[in-house]
Structure formats: C-alpha cells, structure tokens
C-alpha cells in the first residue's frame, strides 16, 4: 500500500483467492498446452493473472512477449502485435538479438503493407512474424501473452489464429485474456475443439474473505462489507471503491443490494474522481495521453496538450504519482484500459478531434508509421481535405493484401473526403478500383461489380485495372459474355503493349477457355506470352502458360499442353509469393492440366502453395477455383473422403462470395465421389440440384453433363435424355471421350449393342494418343459394349486394358470399376479362379479409396458369382467353348487368318487372337492343323450354351 500527498491510498492488486488458477498456470507452463485462455468480466483479475504467468515464465527461462489491445486502436491493423514488439524492443534494446528482431518486426507491421520489393501480403507478414518469434525464443520456448484480445483488430486476430494453427517451433505457448461475453470466434473454436490443446480459466468474483485481503487492514468491518457488497467481489471495483465515501457506498448498497457493480454506472464516476484530484495541467496531460495511446511519449503529450515539454514532463510525473499509470520506456501507459477510457471520455468532442489532428500533423512531420497516421487522420478528416484523403487512400491501397477489411474502411473514408475536382478523377478511379477489389476479397462480388462499373467508363488509362478485375468477378458470377465484351473493348481502347494489356489478354484467354473456345484462348494467350518475353513477370507468365495448356487440352493438342503446362509450373515455382498472390485463381488451371497429364505430384504441390497463399492473402474469390481443382485431383487419386470434404469447403466458399458459378462447379466435382462413397440416393439428390442450377460456362456444362449421366447410369441403368443437363452448343475435345463413352453405355443399356459398339469404337479412336485416363474411359466403354454383343473374350481384353490405363493415370476408383467389370466377364466365361483374383483387385482399390458404396455393391456381385460358380464348374471344363469361340474355331479350321476372321465377325484382330489362344488352351491343341482335326470329330467339342 502507498499513500500520496492528498492522503489517498492505493493498493497494488494482489492475487488472492486464486489458488486453483495459479496451479493451472503452472501446469500450462510445464508443457502439453498450446493455449491458455483467461476470461471473465472487466476488472475480475485477468490482467493480474497474466502478469503472474509472465513472472513465472521468465523465472523458468522462457522468452516472453506480451502486449494488449484497447478499444481506441481496434481499427489499427496489427495494433496488438505492434504493442508486443514495441515492448520487446524497449526491454531488449542494446542488449542482444531479440531487440534487433523486435525492431525488424515493428518495421514490418508499421509499414502499411509496403516493402522494398512491393506490397507485403498477409502470407509474408504472418510467416515473417512466426520466424521472428522462433528466433527471439533462442531455443528456450516462447510465451506470447495477449491481453484484452476482444479489442483486437481483424488483422491481429487473423495473425493470432495463424500462430495458433502453425505455432513457432520449440514449445510455443499462447496466453490470452478477454471478456467472457466477447470471446473471438478463433478462440471459441479452439476451446470447443480442444485442438490445439487448450486450457481455459474462467475467473469469477472473489469470495468475501479473499476480497478483504485486498483492503488495508485499518478499514473497519462495516465499510469492508459495504465495499464487498457493492463491488460484487470484483477486484478492480474493490480497489476503485476504496476511495469512495461512506455515504455514496451506502447509497449504492441500498440501490443494488448484493449485486455486481455495473461497469457503465458507478465505476466511471469513481474513476473520474481519480482524474478530479489532478491539477488542470495533469488532467490535460491525461487527456492527451488517452488520445495518443501507444504514441504517448512526453514529447507527443506536450504537442497534443500544447504544453511546454518541461511542463508536460512534470504533468506525467503527477500522473505516475497518483497511480494512474507508469512510464514504460519513453511511453506513458495507463494502469488499466478503463482508466484510459475514462480520460478519453473526459475530452470534449471538439478538443478530441483537434488532438487527433495534432497527432497526425506530428506523425507527418516526423515520418511516423503510416498505419498510425491513417488511424489518427481517420478520426479528424473533413470532406474536401485532399491531404487527408490521400493519406487514407494510400494506406487503404497498401492494406489490400495484408488487411483487406481495414483497406475497405479506409478507402471508403478517403472517397468520402476526397474533393470532387476533375484533376483528381484518376486518383478517385484508383481508389474505387481498390475498393472494388477489397470488397470482392471480403466476399461481396455483386457490390464489387457495382463499384467497378463506376470506373469502367472512365478514360482507358484509369479503367484498365478495373476492367481486368471486373472480368474476374464476371467469371465468378457466370457472366462470360459480359466479361468478354468488356475485355475486348478495353483492349481496343488502350492500344498498349505493356503489362496492363498482357493482363487483359490473359483474362480474355481464361474467359475463352470457360466458353469452350480453345482457338480464341490460344490466340490471346500466345499474344500475352509474346508481350511478356521482354518483361520479368514470372507470375503473369505462369498464368498465361497455364491457360494456354488448358486450351491445348481442349483442342486435343496433348504435346503442346504438356509443354506449356511444364513451362507454367517452372515459372510458378520461381515466382515470389507476393507476385503470385495477384494471380491466385489461375493456379487452378495449371493444377487441372497437371492432373490430366499424369503429373499428380506437381498438381499437389502447386495447389498446396496456391491455397496457402490465397488463405494468407485473403483472396476469398480465388479460393473456390483452387478448392474445386483440389477436389478433382483428390477424387482422381482415390482419396474420396478428402475430395468430398474439400468440395464441400469449395461450396461454402462459393456461397460466401455469392458465386453461383463456382457453387455449381463444386457440386459437380463432388458428384462421383459422393456416388462411390455414399451411394445412389445422395448422388442423385446432388445431380438434381445441379440440373436445377448448373454452371453458365459451356466447358463446365459439358463436364456436368458427363458427371450427371454417370450418376444416372448407376441409379437407373437407362437414363433418359430429359434427365440430363443439356450439352452446350460449343464443345471442346477434352470432354469428347467421356461424352462418347456415356453415349455408348446408354445405347447398350437400351439394348442397342450395335450402336454401343460404334460409339465405343469412336471413343477409342478419339482417345488414342491422348492421356491414359481417357484411354481407360474409352476401353471401359468398349468392354461394356462387347459384353452386350456376347464377345466376352474381346470384352475381357478391353476391360483389362481399361484397368491398366486407369492404373497408369492414378485413377484408383476407376481402376477398381474396370477390375469389377473384368471379374464379371470372367464369371460369365466360367473362369472362377480369374474372377476371384480380379475381384480381389477391385476390393483393394475400393478399400484404398474409401469407396464404401462400391465395396458394398461388389460384395453382392461376389455372392451372385459364388452362386453361379457350381453350375459353371459342372458345365465348364477342358474343351468347353463359348458360342463365339466355336464360331472362331470353325473359321480358323477353314483356313482363315486371324485378320480374315476379324473382318468376317466384325471384331478386332486382337479379339480374335485372344479367342484363338483360349480355344487352343481349352482343346489342348498347339496348331491350326490340330484344331482342324479336332473339329472333324464334331461330337466331342461341347459348347457352353
């Protein structure tokens, strides 16, 4: 306890009545816990318990970094972490490496998103801070302490979530305190999931005996009971009420018997009485410090309060002597946020506005951090103030990558105060484009499009960037004709050959791919690549080659697709993260082509990087494309549970940004994994939703048509054309094989074996020379068509080829389906041993991929085959020929060659060769002459009827 000149006594908050909580803190520091959450009402002792944790962590030799947030700086990006590294810098300055690292972190966070190489995105910021935390701990384990997290800005909360999910190595512990009613969602989710391991300490009020320990020993029992009754056992309120007179205490007790003290009622009055004890100069300094916040050095307080520096220093001494706060390095800090809030509220509105203006002026003159300059400028900017508008606008543009929510707010304020002069039209267009981009990043595509249309009609030199981003938005909304028209018109208007024109051409190529117009896509992409040859822009180059690779696949030019896909991957691998983040949505076509061209490792690597970058840079509009490509990649690899989960994530992300186009695409890539894993009913329900709300792009309409047809075939066996989404008028060759295969299978289901054979032959011809997956699809259809014609030997060869091609392409489930078909063929041929062996291969594929519904179907097939096996065993044996084999044997016996037999029976020569081999084996002959002799004795060659 201390006593000042006025006789007012202050008591340092003690940790009383918290034995259980102290033990839990020790357990958290001992290990096994990644986060400790301390929550409770204001003044209940959260900060004091954090202070104890800091003391114990330092005593254990761990590196401690601590900071806090206040409601006044809740709009300053990374404000809480600026506090963290300011304290570390002050504590360690001039001593060792942590001080230097803290200075580096401060420069990163206060730079308004700018680096020497350009704008810094969230991905770089978060990873950089994580590395700094790891280095500062020096192998001792870092404890990051964050007080009043409920006041934290959005960027600080995102960084906190990043560190929680990807903690620095070496025993990292995050200790946070916040109000129980204002727990941020990131903490709530962590507590609910207990992943990572979380310890929660919810502080309640003290009991009467514990509260008495906070009061001076000479307080009489009656007054002690009154203080406890009014405070409700809240430690901060106990301390504040010690200065209250007996009469006010009795009035409060009578008005609220036994109730907790409401924050908004008597406590501010008690805290104001603390300010009332100050001299006029001291009170002025308190108000200046409250407005200045973390900038509250004596120099700044003097400038804001308009005091002589010596007078300001004396006033700060008075504040410290009265127990209102302390000097932390050169900065004055209030003892509690509630004290600062009271001092801030004491400022009149006019004085407060002028004080913020004086701080902004001080920051401009001294070259202060742009983040804090924008914060104080925002508090005092008036319409027509060009300097303020440029301060807010430049900060908003800089924050687009690192803190888009802040960027949107600052850009809106900048546009509000920017004068309406004609010479400022280009700058206004620049701000509007940034606002549209930030709005799109935050998930409101329709509003983003509305803002962009304010800019599109402006002069070309200011409208090009808006048109490029408008195309991205239009693609997400399925407005491809609108995107194409805007881009084409803008290219004609600009007449430029620089980066702007190149970006417009890449966008135009992307739109052409979605419209199933590979010729247009190739033309625009090649022109873009030609403009890039003299520039050093690997990210834009990667995007151009990725779109070109996809266009080549659509055109059936596999060799060119491979070349451009590899070039795109090479450029992407060499592009810096910050540059690549501007083209995140175009990572999806690269990975799509890599999956098609049997380079799954490359696709996986590029998708992982793209999703990570899109997450950290906040580009929510790019996320659906990336997740859709990843879901398709996972489905192809036979990771069905993951594929469904990622596709559902893509659907949620699409819904969040209001993109019906990517929502339909997400449902499409989910269709077959849902069928294979969960069965017909949920797959058909999903197909019905796609039929009602399909994609607008021609390319995806064709993809949806094929996927829905495969689901309908599994459900109905004979899907009517009316049940399938219509095919668009423009079709590209990359979906041709699957479309032909579906037509063949549908014809076979309708009993038209001849048509089925014709379509399957066309599919095989179209697939020849293409990717292995398409060959697998074509031969699978061929095998099913041959089964319809009872050409089981030929069907077996085709099914075996399909399984091999699917295996080569990494398509696990399709390989299993081909083996299941082959097993059925062997069963019909009476080859029980081969049937069982191939069923085992199908089982293995379904088990590996998690295709639970297919596995269940296979079990039923296996039972049917087992039931048929005895009959085949009784009838089948050496010398038993199928009807088709008897036809082949008779023609061979007549002296026809295999080619001539194939022409006579209208089957492939390979099929005849397979039949001949089977005939020789069954009749135990070694030559055509021996076969002719056996056929001469017609009675001893049984036929499997």
């Amino acid at each position: 306890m201390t006593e000042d000149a006025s006789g007012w006594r202050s008591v340092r908050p003690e940790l009383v009545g918290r034995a259980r909580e102290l033990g839990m803190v020790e357990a958290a520091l001992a290990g096994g816990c990644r986060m400790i959450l301390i929550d409770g009402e204001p003044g209940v002792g959260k900060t004091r318990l954090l202070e104890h944790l800091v003391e114990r962590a330092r005593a254990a030799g761990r590196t401690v970094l601590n900071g806090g947030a206040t409601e006044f700086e809740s709009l300053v990006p990374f404000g809480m972490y600026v506090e963290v590294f300011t304290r570390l810098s002050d504590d360690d300055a001039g001593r060792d490496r942590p001080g230097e690292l803290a200075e580096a972190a401060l420069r990163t966070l206060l730079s308004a998103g700018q680096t020497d190489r350009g704008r810094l995105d969230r991905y770089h910021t978060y990873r950089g801070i994580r590395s700094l935390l790891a280095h500062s701990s020096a192998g001792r384990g870092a404890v990051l302490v964050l007080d009043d997290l409920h006041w934290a800005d959005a960027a600080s909360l995102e960084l906190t979530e990043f560190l929680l999910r990807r903690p620095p190595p070496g025993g990292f512990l995050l200790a946070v305190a916040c109000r129980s009613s204002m727990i941020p969602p990131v903490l709530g989710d962590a507590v609910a999931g207990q992943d990572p391991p979380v310890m929660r300490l919810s502080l309640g009020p003290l009991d009467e005996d514990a509260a008495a320990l906070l009061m001076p020993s000479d307080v009489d029992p009656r007054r002690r009971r009154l203080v406890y009754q009014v405070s409700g056992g809240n430690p901060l309120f106990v301390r504040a009420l010690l200065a209250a007179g007996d009469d006010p205490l009795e009035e409060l007790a009578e008005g609220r018997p036994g109730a907790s003290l409401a924050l908004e009622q008597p406590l501010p009055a008690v805290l104001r009485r603390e300010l009332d004890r100050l001299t006029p100069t001291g009170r002025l300094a308190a108000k200046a410090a409250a407005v200045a916040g973390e900038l509250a050095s004596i120099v700044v307080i003097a400038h804001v309060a308009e005091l002589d520096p010596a007078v300001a220093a004396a006033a700060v001494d008075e504040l410290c002597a009265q127990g209102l706060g302390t000097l932390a390095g050169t900065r004055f800090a209030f003892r509690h946020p509630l004290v600062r809030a009271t001092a801030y509220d004491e400022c009149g509105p006019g004085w407060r506005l002028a004080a913020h203006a004086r701080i902004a002026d001080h920051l401009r003159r001294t070259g202060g951090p742009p983040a804090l300059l924008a914060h104080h400028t925002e508090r005092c900017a008036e319409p027509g103030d060009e300097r303020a508008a440029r301060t807010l606008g430049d900060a908003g543009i800089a924050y687009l990558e690192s803190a888009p929510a802040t960027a949107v707010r600052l850009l809106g304020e900048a546009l509000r105060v920017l004068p309406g002069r004609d010479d400022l039209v280009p700058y206004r267009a620049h701000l509007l484009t940034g606002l549209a981009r930030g709005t799109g990043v935050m998930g409101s595509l329709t509003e983003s499009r509305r803002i962009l249309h304010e800019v599109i009609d402006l002069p070309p030199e200011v409208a090009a960037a808006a048109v490029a981003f408008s195309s991205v938005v239009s693609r997400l909304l399925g407005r491809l004709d609108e995107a194409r028209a805007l881009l084409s018109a803008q290219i004609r208007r600009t007449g430029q050959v620089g980066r702007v024109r190149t970006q417009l051409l890449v966008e135009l190529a992307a739109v052409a791919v979605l419209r199933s117009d590979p010729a247009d896509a190739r033309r625009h992409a090649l022109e873009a690549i030609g403009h890039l040859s003299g520039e050093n822009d690997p990210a834009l180059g990667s995007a151009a080659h990725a779109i070109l690779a996809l266009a080549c696949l659509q055109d059936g030019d596999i060799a060119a697709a491979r070349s451009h896909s590899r070039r795109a991957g090479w450029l992407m691998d060499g592009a810096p993260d910050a540059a690549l983040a501007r083209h995140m949505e175009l990572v999806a076509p690269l990975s799509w082509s890599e999956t098609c061209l049997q380079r799954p490792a490359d696709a996986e690597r590029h998708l992982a990087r793209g999703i990570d970058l899109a997450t950290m840079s906040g580009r929510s509009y790019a996320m659906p494309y990336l997740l859709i490509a990843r879901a398709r990649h996972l489905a192809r690899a036979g990771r069905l549970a993951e594929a469904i989960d990622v596709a559902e994530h893509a659907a949620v992300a699409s819904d969040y940004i209001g993109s019906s186009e990517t929502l339909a695409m997400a449902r499409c890539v989910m269709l077959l994994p849902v069928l294979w894993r969960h069965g017909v009913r949920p797959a058909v329900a999903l197909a019905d939703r796609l039929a009602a709300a399909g994609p607008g792009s021609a390319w995806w309409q064709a993809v949806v048509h094929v996927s829905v047809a495969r689901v309908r075939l599994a459900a109905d066996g004979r899907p009517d054309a009316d049940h399938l989404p219509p095919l668009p008028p423009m079709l590209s060759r990359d979906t041709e094989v699957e479309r032909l295969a579906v037509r063949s299978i549908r014809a076979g289901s309708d009993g038209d074996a001849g048509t089925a054979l014709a379509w399957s032959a066309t599919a095989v011809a179209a697939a020849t020379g293409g990717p292995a997956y398409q060959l697998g699809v074509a031969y699978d259809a061929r095998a099913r068509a041959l089964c319809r014609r009872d050409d089981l030997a030929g069907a077996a060869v085709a099914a075996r080829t399909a399984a091999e091609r699917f295996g080569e392409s990494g398509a696990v489930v399709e390989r299993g389906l081909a083996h299941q078909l082959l097993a059925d063929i062997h069963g019909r041929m009476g080859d029980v041993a081969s049937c069982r062996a191939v069923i085992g291969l199908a089982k293995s594929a379904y088990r590996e991929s998690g295709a639970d519904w297919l596995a269940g179907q296979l079990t039923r097939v296996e039972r049917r085959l087992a039931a048929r096996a005895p009959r085949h065993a009784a009838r089948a044996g050496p010398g038993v020929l199928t009807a088709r084999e008897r036809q082949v044997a008779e023609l061979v016996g007549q002296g026809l060659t295999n080619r001539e037999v194939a022409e006579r029976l209208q089957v492939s020569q390979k099929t005849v060769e397979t039949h001949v081999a089977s005939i020789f084996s069954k009749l135990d002959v070694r030559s055509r002459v021996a076969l002719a002799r056996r056929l001469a004795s017609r009675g001893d060659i049984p036929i499997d009827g």
Side-chain angles (χ1 to χ4, degrees), residues 136-157:
S136 65
S137 67
R140 296 172 292 178
V143 179
L144 176 61
V145 179
L146 303 175
D147 199 5
D148 289 322
L149 195 68
H150 51 274
W151 293 127
D153 59 279
S156 290
L157 286 175

Side-chain angles (χ1 to χ4, degrees), residues 319-578:
L319 298 180
C320 295
Q322 290 288 348
L324 294 175
T326 59
L327 276 174
T330 61
R331 182 173 64 98
F332 175 80
F334 287 95
R335 77 167 189 267
H336 195 279
L338 293 176
V339 180
R340 182 187 173 191
T342 303
Y344 191 86
D345 289 340
E346 285 288 288
C347 304
W351 190 92
R352 186 186 301 131
L353 186 147
H356 281 295
R358 286 192 287 273
I359 294 176
D361 179 68
H362 171 79
L363 289 169
R364 284 193 185 93
R365 286 189 295 102
T366 59
L372 298 181
L373 174 59
H375 166 68
H376 288 284
T377 300
E378 187 178 8
R379 300 292 181 117
C380 62
E382 293 288 342
D385 186 343
E386 181 184 347
R387 184 174 70 170
R390 287 188 178 275
T391 296
L392 296 171
D394 292 349
I397 294 295
Y399 277 130
L400 279 172
E401 309 294 344
S402 57
T406 300
V408 168
R409 192 190 74 251
L410 291 176
L411 289 168
E413 280 297 296
L415 288 163
R416 181 183 68 83
V417 302
L418 184 70
R421 300 197 313 266
D422 290 344
D423 62 308
L424 292 175
V425 167
Y427 188 65
R428 177 177 291 276
H430 180 55
L431 298 184
L432 282 169
T433 303
L435 180 62
R437 185 176 290 276
T439 303
V441 165
M442 296 301 293
S444 181
L445 293 179
T446 303
E447 176 63 11
S448 176
R449 178 175 172 274
R450 185 195 66 76
I451 296 169
L452 287 166
H453 277 260
E454 294 183 36
V455 188
I456 286 171
D457 293 329
L458 294 176
E461 61 273 12
V462 298
V467 170
F469 188 66
S470 178
S471 173
V472 175
V473 174
S474 296
R475 281 196 281 110
L476 288 164
L477 293 173
R479 301 173 181 266
L480 300 182
D481 291 339
E482 176 185 291
R484 181 171 179 251
L486 285 172
L487 290 165
S488 299
Q490 187 63 28
I491 287 174
R492 289 193 297 270
R493 290 174 72 197
T494 59
Q496 300 172 6
V497 294
R499 188 181 188 282
V500 171
R501 181 181 179 85
T502 304
Q503 190 168 355
L504 293 173
L505 286 167
V506 172
E507 268 300 319
L508 200 50
V511 171
V513 163
L514 290 172
R515 295 178 68 250
S516 281
D517 190 350
D520 234 24
R522 293 180 78 162
R523 180 165 57 86
H524 295 312
L526 284 169
E527 185 181 348
I529 290 168
H531 292 316
L532 280 167
S533 59
E535 297 183 17
N536 183 21
D537 195 337
L540 187 55
S542 174
H545 280 283
I547 291 295
L548 184 52
L550 207 53
C552 291
L553 277 174
Q554 287 189 333
D555 222 7
D557 190 347
I558 304 304
R562 287 194 176 97
S563 173
H564 290 295
S565 179
R566 289 193 181 280
R567 179 68 177 171
W570 182 81
L571 287 169
M572 179 179 170
D573 291 337
D577 290 342

Side-chain angles (χ1 to χ4, degrees), residues 225-233 237 241 248-267:
R225 284 193 299 274
L226 282 174
V227 169
Y228 180 76
Q229 182 179 357
V230 174
S231 71
F237 299 172
L241 290 168
L249 275 175
E250 289 182 359
E251 291 174 6
L252 290 170
E254 291 170 3
R256 295 176 62 100
S260 297
L261 182 64
L263 176 63
E264 66 273 13
Q265 294 182 4
L267 182 59

Side-chain angles (χ1 to χ4, degrees), residues 180-220:
S180 298
S181 60
M182 300 170 66
I183 296 176
V186 57
L187 300 187
D189 293 345
V191 171
Q194 289 294 306
D195 183 24
V198 175
M199 181 181 292
R200 181 177 182 181
L201 304 181
S202 295
L203 301 183
L206 299 174
D207 59 32
E208 189 168 357
D209 291 338
L213 297 175
L214 296 176
M215 306 179 202
S217 58
D218 57 353
V219 174
D220 65 78

